[in-house]
Amino acid sequence: MHDMIALTALGAASAQVDTFDGLRIAECPYWALASLATRSGHGAEIADAAQTFLGAPLPGVGLCADAVPFHAFWTGPDRWMIEAPHDSHEDLAARLKAAVGDAGSVTEQTDGWVRFDATGARCHDVLERLCNADTRRMNPGTVTQSRIEHLGCFLICRASEHFSLYGPRSSAHSLHHALVTAATSAL
Amino acid sequence: MIIHHPLLGPRDAQEFTYLGDASLIDRPDWQAEHAVDRFHDYLYLRDNPAGEHRELWFHEVGDRSWLVVTRNTLTHEITSVELARDVARSRGRSK
């Protein structure tokens, strides 16, 4: 039996948390991800299958759908990302593929991304220095993509002062450095 | 420059990358007669209009969709933005 220790995207055994005056930036390694894309001409089948699997309709343009334990967000025309707790849904992609069959293409995404959650009243002061997105005008339950530190990231507004950032996992240190540097400068 | 994405609304041009003339959608049939000549023209010959130009842009740092943007090359005014897949399908290019 191997005795291996799972490491987070930042290479530590536990998740990195940085606190500032009015802002908390936390690495969130406990989530599984799978992407879903509609195959041409199968939109209605995907909508039905996904609703049965998730318990909620797939979200429209720029929106998220919460259906505990799942969270789905729109990533492009006929494409979505599905998020679920890693402990209970490590095989999320396989389960999703079994649900949608040949109507959709599913790709395992869990280890492709790193998630940082920015919470607190000052989160906008930091995000406005990092990306184009007008986070103050984003409503809870919306998602946008933007460039942060030269990286294409998903920016999910979970509440008015709670944002999740998904960036490429291989650049986790760069993204974390950008967040902490901006927070140190702004707060 | 701001590009009004058909789905996402106004977006800064820095989020996009430019490919070129939208006529690239009209890929020649490789089985057609004179296919080699047609591919030569498709690959190497471009119009260079001073005025309205239809061109392909990729929303790289966004929803990663391809757009057909109609832009005036003299004024940079953008008069139309369409999803490239809609344009391609309207020309019978997609299944």
Side-chain angles (χ1 to χ4, degrees):
Chain A
M1 190 71 181
H2 294 293
D3 185 18
M4 293 190 284
I5 300 169
L7 297 180
T8 71
L10 290 177
S14 59
Q16 175 81 26
V17 177
D18 299 276
T19 51
F20 302 87
D21 185 16
L23 176 68
R24 180 177 188 270
I25 298 170
E27 184 190 2
C28 302
Y30 308 114
W31 298 93
L33 285 177
S35 63
L36 171 64
T38 305
R39 290 186 180 169
S40 182
H42 291 83
E45 293 165 52
I46 278 287
D48 288 345
Q51 172 139 16
T52 304
F53 180 76
L54 298 173
L58 285 166
V61 175
L63 297 176
C64 308
D66 255 326
V68 177
F70 300 108
H71 177 86
F73 56 94
W74 185 88
T75 57
D78 296 329
R79 287 187 284 113
W80 299 267
M81 196 83 89
I82 315 294
E83 181 187 56
H86 188 270
D87 283 350
S88 57
H89 292 74
E90 188 176 354
D91 57 346
L92 175 64
R95 289 197 216 181
L96 186 59
K97 182 60 188 170
V100 301
D102 289 337
S105 298
V106 175
T107 309
E108 161 72 46
Q109 300 275 353
T110 304
D111 286 333
W113 301 87
V114 57
R115 171 177 159 182
F116 291 104
D117 274 20
T119 46
R122 303 289 305 275
C123 63
H124 301 290
D125 297 332
V126 173
L127 292 172
E128 71 186 2
R129 285 165 168 79
L130 287 168
C131 66
N132 268 347
D134 189 353
T135 56
R136 292 176 204 275
R137 294 180 62 183
M138 284 178 72
N139 293 317
T142 61
V143 60
T144 191
Q145 266 175 291
S146 198
R147 193 193 299 273
I148 298 176
E149 188 74 354
H150 309 285
L151 305 165
C153 298
F154 293 105
L155 197 55
I156 300 167
C157 180
R158 296 184 190 264
S160 60
E161 294 174 354
H162 178 187
F163 286 82
S164 291
L165 282 75
Y166 270 108
R169 185 186 175 99
S170 54
S171 299
H173 277 288
S174 300
L175 185 55
H176 178 255
H177 177 257
L179 286 165
V180 169
T181 303
T184 305
S185 167
L187 307 180
Chain B
M1 196 165 74
I2 300 290
I3 294 176
H4 287 264
H5 192 293
L7 298 175
L8 300 172
R11 292 290 185 132
D12 194 296
Q14 67 163 244
E15 295 184 3
F16 297 81
T17 53
Y18 174 79
L19 179 69
D21 196 315
S23 66
L24 287 168
I25 288 174
D26 300 319
R27 187 180 174 85
D29 178 0
W30 65 276
Q31 291 178 307
E33 200 179 348
H34 309 302
V36 171
D37 292 338
R38 291 186 191 180
F39 266 101
H40 172 275
D41 294 352
Y42 173 80
L43 194 59
Y44 294 113
L45 300 186
R46 297 281 183 276
D47 290 334
N48 186 22
E52 196 172 89
H53 190 221
R54 280 163 64 79
E55 47 204 29
L56 285 164
W57 289 75
F58 178 53
H59 197 192
E60 185 189 13
V61 192
D63 70 347
R64 305 186 76 78
S65 57
W66 283 95
L67 305 179
V68 174
V69 175
T70 306
R71 181 178 65 96
N72 188 308
T73 57
L74 296 175
T75 64
H76 295 307
E77 182 191 7
I78 292 172
T79 50
S80 161
V81 185
E82 306 153 88
L83 287 174
R85 70 173 188 179
D86 293 343
V87 174
R89 282 174 184 167
S90 72
R91 297 188 197 185
R93 288 296 318 194
S94 189
K95 287 178 225 168

